[in-house]
Amino acid sequence: MRKIDRWLGAPACAALTVMRKFRDLKDMLQERRPARIHSILFVKPAEQGATVLSHRALKRAVEIVGRENVFFLVFEENRFILDVMEVIPEENVIAIPSCNFRSILVGTIRALWRTRRLGIDAAVDFEFFARSSAVLTYLSGARVRVGFHSFAGEAPYRGNLMTHRLIYNPHLHISQTYAVMVEALTAPPEDMPSLNMVVPPVQEAGASFTPEPQELERVKTALKSQAGTSSYSPLVLLNANASDLLPLRRWPEIRYVELARRLLHKSRDVHIAFTGAPDEARNIEKLVEAVGSDRCFSMAGKTTLRELLTLYCLADVLVTNDSGPALFATLTPINSITLFGPETPELFGGNTPNTNIIWKNLPCSPCVSAYNNRLSACRNNACMQRITVEEVFSLVCRLCRI
């Protein structure tokens, strides 16, 4: 995806920028004025963990144009969090299948056809400096387009496709950034990148997830089957993966194994469940075998994403790296421990009472950001390796009261 974004996205942005100049000239000659905003489209195909932090921004969009006029373009596999948040109507989520290149291409064409038929007035690019999202935002047909621009070349080139060009501020929490982008919709584009407004506070508790009774029973049954008992409390969940997208975010797997062993030795009542996606199930089973206890089992690939949130509602503590589950957990009552390294909790950390963050704040951290498209020269994630089993173990024991 990164190669496509770089080698196809850059020339596509350049070509569309030329087209945009001709279109703007035509509008100027015809003295067209921007129409009032009646509908808003958000563009964020990938990585929906951060979408949890957009709750306040989405609610603000609903206030501006009404719930029925807010739309969201996303990959099909990532739409579930939008359905859980229940801010945008399910029928307004424009999902692109992402199982292979052909499905993405066909799905994208259909999605853009729909946005143009709907006559979307405004589009907000939540992907920051991705070229593909800039192209989608421009081709959506929206007359008002909000997104970040590389004014001095400090960020990746992606043409000049936005009408409301913003400067990316790396000192704002992502929830604040999303809120500012929505407010920019009604600001005069000629004044930008200056924005004469007060920065909103960091988003606290936003949406919350309440499982249906049948969902609770289904997950309880699955837990009983995997644990071999109906008495599995306290339950600690370990999410040992950060996906192949950013392997620098991984805490060494052997430390998850050691953490599990120490917790099991500390208390005869505690149970450990490793979680993960279906394609991680085989590797997770190896970690469970390495722990070597009948009170440690795998739930990887055994739940849907909604059932994963239900599992969070039943468990006591989640230990995870900086990834989607860390932010999904903020929708539930679970106490979460998020291990940060190459990115900073100042931008991406959850801001709820049950969120606990461990970050070593090394001189080289954070090394990935929107400016470098999350590409780092680092090949040795010392920021994650400095997080010890002892400090995570102590925090889990305190939260579980064991």
Side-chain angles (χ1 to χ4, degrees):
M1 289 177 68
R2 280 177 169 159
K3 288 179 179 178
I4 291 173
D5 195 72
R6 179 180 180 183
W7 297 110
L8 295 182
C13 287
L16 290 175
T17 296
V18 175
M19 289 179 57
R20 187 208 165 181
K21 288 183 178 179
F22 282 107
R23 180 177 175 178
D24 288 351
L25 178 61
K26 180 181 177 182
D27 289 347
M28 184 176 66
L29 292 174
Q30 296 178 355
E31 296 184 349
R32 290 185 180 177
R33 295 181 179 179
R36 285 186 57 193
I37 295 176
H38 298 285
S39 56
I40 300 173
L41 170 71
F42 293 94
V43 179
K44 185 169 176 51
E47 291 195 77
Q48 289 303 294
T51 301
V52 175
L53 299 175
S54 71
H55 182 263
R56 180 176 55 200
L58 299 181
K59 294 284 285 186
R60 175 60 179 143
V62 168
E63 291 176 3
I64 295 173
V65 298
R67 185 170 183 263
E68 69 280 3
N69 296 314
V70 179
F71 300 83
F72 205 109
L73 192 151
V74 64
F75 283 144
E76 180 66 49
E77 64 188 37
N78 295 319
R79 69 164 293 161
F80 97 98
I81 198 63
L82 290 165
D83 295 336
V84 167
M85 291 168 66
E86 297 183 337
V87 179
I88 298 174
E90 290 187 14
E91 62 272 17
N92 286 13
V93 177
I94 304 173
I96 299 175
S98 56
C99 51
N100 55 54
F101 180 77
R102 182 182 180 279
S103 66
I104 292 176
L105 179 61
V106 174
T108 299
I109 293 172
R110 289 176 176 171
L112 292 175
W113 177 257
R114 182 180 173 189
T115 62
R116 299 184 79 90
R117 274 195 306 130
L118 288 168
I120 298 292
D121 298 314
V124 181
D125 182 3
F126 270 175
E127 289 286 6
F128 295 177
F129 289 103
R131 299 177 180 97
S132 56
S133 62
V135 169
L136 291 172
T137 301
Y138 180 76
L139 294 179
S140 69
R143 288 278 181 176
V144 176
R145 301 178 298 277
V146 175
F148 292 109
H149 185 74
S150 180
F151 289 93
E154 70 275 19
Y157 168 83
R158 58 180 203 154
N160 183 12
L161 302 178
M162 305 298 159
T163 60
H164 292 56
R165 305 185 306 171
L166 303 179
I167 290 178
Y168 175 70
N169 185 344
H171 304 289
L172 294 183
H173 191 270
I174 297 303
S175 66
Q176 295 174 300
T177 298
Y178 288 153
V180 167
M181 296 180 82
V182 172
E183 295 301 332
L185 285 169
T186 56
E190 60 272 13
D191 292 347
M192 294 186 177
S194 174
L195 271 178
N196 187 13
M197 62 172 287
V198 176
V199 176
V202 176
Q203 174 180 296
E204 297 182 354
S208 61
F209 172 75
T210 303
E212 299 292 336
Q214 61 269 26
E215 291 176 317
L216 278 171
E217 289 306 313
R218 193 159 55 242
V219 174
K220 285 180 179 178
T221 300
L223 275 174
K224 181 179 179 180
S225 173
Q226 296 303 313
T229 176
S230 58
S231 179
Y232 42 75
S233 181
L235 177 61
V236 177
L237 306 180
L238 303 181
N239 177 52
N241 177 62
S243 82
D244 292 332
L245 182 62
L246 278 177
L248 287 176
R249 293 190 296 191
R250 287 188 180 135
W251 198 42
E253 291 181 345
I254 188 62
R255 298 194 184 181
Y256 280 103
V257 172
E258 184 181 345
L259 174 64
R261 287 173 177 170
R262 293 191 61 177
L263 289 169
L264 293 167
H265 179 74
K266 173 74 172 179
S267 170
R268 293 184 178 182
D269 296 323
V270 73
H271 284 70
I272 306 290
F274 280 85
T275 63
D279 59 355
E280 301 172 84
R282 181 176 297 181
N283 189 47
I284 294 299
E285 288 291 352
K286 293 179 181 178
L287 297 182
V288 171
E289 291 174 7
V291 174
S293 170
D294 57 3
R295 287 184 286 134
C296 179
F297 53 94
S298 171
M299 290 296 289
K302 296 179 172 65
T303 63
T304 65
L305 289 169
R306 277 190 64 90
E307 288 170 346
L308 180 64
L309 295 187
T310 303
L311 178 61
Y312 291 169
C313 294
L314 296 170
D316 297 275
V317 175
L318 167 69
V319 179
T320 179
N321 36 48
D322 167 34
S323 54
L327 292 172
F328 297 158
T330 64
L331 302 174
T332 72
I334 194 171
N335 287 299
S336 64
I337 300 173
T338 307
L339 313 180
F340 271 86
E343 290 190 293
T344 167
E346 297 297 325
L347 268 65
F348 292 97
N351 188 35
T352 64
N354 294 337
T355 299
N356 302 270
I357 291 170
I358 299 178
W359 185 48
K360 291 305 179 180
N361 195 18
L362 300 190
C364 56
S365 178
C367 63
V368 295
S369 70
Y371 281 133
N372 61 19
N373 260 352
R374 294 185 171 182
L375 292 174
S376 173
C378 178
R379 295 296 177 266
N380 178 32
N381 63 344
C383 54
M384 296 299 293
Q385 297 172 40
R386 283 181 70 97
I387 299 175
T388 66
V389 173
E390 175 60 33
E391 58 188 318
V392 180
F393 168 74
S394 298
L395 185 50
V396 173
C397 290
R398 178 168 64 82
L399 294 173
C400 283
R401 298 180 181 178
I402 58 175

